[in-house]
Amino acid sequence: SDLPVMRATWRLLQAAAPRTEAVLFEVDAVGIATVTLNREKAHNTFSDEVVNLLEESFQKVRSTSGVRGLFLKSHGNFFCAGADLKWMQKTASYTLEQNIADAERLGAMLYSLNTMPVPTVALVQGPAFGGGVGLVSCCDIAVAVSKATFTLSEVKLGLLPATISPYVVARIGANQSRRYMQTAERIDATRAKEIGLVHEVVADQAALDEWHAKFRAAFLENSPSGMAASKAIIARVAHSTIDPSLISMTARALSEQRASPEGKEGLAAFFGKRKPAWAPKA
């Protein structure tokens, strides 16, 4: 496994200097990855550096063997206040080709998060604007504190929520998107849960930490390949017509997972009245 080497590297980095990077990445001893937006003074806004660091972090998750889940969170009062104003000011002077390349880097980062082969959870401790709503929409699960708000604010600046739109529309549907992408209304946490943007709303940071622990425990109890296969099949069937080819595909997916090492181990553990090899022993 690559995990011991990566953990040693993170410890050395942490010992050498305080964590001042715009994005923090770490993997704990049991394979739970955490990506943290760390631009508290800038309200955790996106810059070209932040987009690149997020993409690097997501690629590390993909390339590190033994990762069981990913939590996305932020330091400070804001989860993510969208695009950095200096970055936006800089892009105003770009050529069309430069703007396309810049937007494609943002789009690629969001796609990496959305298609992550491990379960992903957004822990939202404060307001999210624009691209911050996009990050939440790309995660499999989202939990927000009650004071968190969500705003698709691009039209106030003469822009549009383009790169995040595939994920936001998939999350809350075209009907709600047609409202909130055009009104730029602030969506409170209760309303965000009603429209499906977040799954749970909690009172405070302590309650958010409890959900963090609960999901972490669940990911460690469940089959890594089973979760990955489940996530993959959701993406395939979500917008598919139910027809013989889809039925055949789902039957093949089940057959392949039954025959996989973890499929066999899971059934053997169940009938043997023991924990499967991937589950914590304690």
Side-chain angles (χ1 to χ4, degrees), residues 73-118:
K73 62 181 188 175
S74 301
H75 286 155
N77 294 325
F78 283 74
F79 178 73
C80 174
D84 183 273
L85 292 176
K86 291 179 182 177
W87 182 35
M88 292 175 65
Q89 198 170 29
K90 186 168 67 172
T91 61
S93 64
Y94 282 1
T95 64
L96 177 60
E97 290 73 21
Q98 288 175 317
N99 255 309
I100 290 172
D102 188 76
E104 285 182 343
R105 282 191 291 273
L106 174 58
M109 179 272 289
L110 293 167
Y111 182 79
S112 291
L113 177 58
N114 190 67
T115 58
M116 193 67 63
V118 300

Side-chain angles (χ1 to χ4, degrees), residues 28 45 55 63 81 86 110 114-115 122 132 161 165-166 169 176 181 193 200 211 220 234 237 239 241 250 255 263 271:
D28 71 14
T45 47
E55 173 67 0
S63 62
K86 291 179 182 177
L110 293 167
N114 190 67
T115 58
S165 63
V169 173
Q176 300 296 348
M181 286 184 179
K193 183 179 178 183
E200 301 290 343
W211 275 104
L220 295 176
I234 291 166
V237 306
H239 303 291
T241 301
T250 58
S255 300
F271 288 113

Side-chain angles (χ1 to χ4, degrees), residues 236-260:
R236 293 188 68 179
V237 306
H239 303 291
S240 298
T241 301
I242 302 176
D243 59 17
S245 66
L246 186 71
I247 302 305
S248 177
M249 183 277 289
T250 58
R252 176 174 287 275
L254 177 57
S255 300
E256 289 174 352
Q257 190 63 26
R258 280 175 176 167
S260 72

Side-chain angles (χ1 to χ4, degrees), residues 11 18 25 51 71 83 87 94 113 125 129 139 196 213 242:
R11 282 196 294 271
F25 174 71
V51 170
F71 289 87
W87 182 35
Y94 282 1
L113 177 58
Q125 92 295 0
F129 291 80
C139 288
I242 302 176

Side-chain angles (χ1 to χ4, degrees), residues 53-226:
L53 288 172
L54 284 170
E55 173 67 0
E56 287 176 17
S57 297
F58 299 151
Q59 291 305 324
K60 284 177 186 174
V61 174
R62 289 174 178 273
S63 62
T64 305
S65 61
V67 174
R68 306 284 292 273
L70 168 64
F71 289 87
L72 179 64
K73 62 181 188 175
S74 301
H75 286 155
N77 294 325
F78 283 74
F79 178 73
C80 174
D84 183 273
L85 292 176
K86 291 179 182 177
W87 182 35
M88 292 175 65
Q89 198 170 29
K90 186 168 67 172
T91 61
S93 64
Y94 282 1
T95 64
L96 177 60
E97 290 73 21
Q98 288 175 317
N99 255 309
I100 290 172
D102 188 76
E104 285 182 343
R105 282 191 291 273
L106 174 58
M109 179 272 289
L110 293 167
Y111 182 79
S112 291
L113 177 58
N114 190 67
T115 58
M116 193 67 63
V118 300
T120 56
V121 182
L123 300 171
V124 185
Q125 92 295 0
F129 291 80
V133 180
L135 288 176
V136 173
S137 299
C138 287
C139 288
D140 300 323
I141 301 165
V143 184
V145 297
S146 57
K147 69 177 182 180
T149 59
F150 304 84
T151 312
L152 293 157
S153 52
E154 288 84 352
V155 293
K156 287 184 177 292
L157 300 171
L159 303 174
L160 80 163
T163 52
I164 67 172
S165 63
Y167 314 107
V168 176
V169 173
R171 187 63 152 244
I172 67 174
N175 183 39
Q176 300 296 348
S177 297
R178 288 169 75 157
R179 173 178 174 175
Y180 292 111
M181 286 184 179
Q182 295 186 94
T183 64
E185 294 170 78
R186 184 171 296 177
I187 306 165
D188 65 27
T190 300
R191 180 63 177 156
K193 183 179 178 183
E194 289 173 355
I195 64 176
L197 182 57
V198 303
H199 295 86
E200 301 290 343
V201 175
V202 298
D204 52 24
Q205 183 64 48
L208 193 65
D209 292 341
E210 289 177 11
W211 275 104
H212 183 182
K214 185 180 297 188
F215 286 128
R216 183 180 182 278
F219 299 155
L220 295 176
E221 289 286 345
N222 297 337
S223 155
S225 69

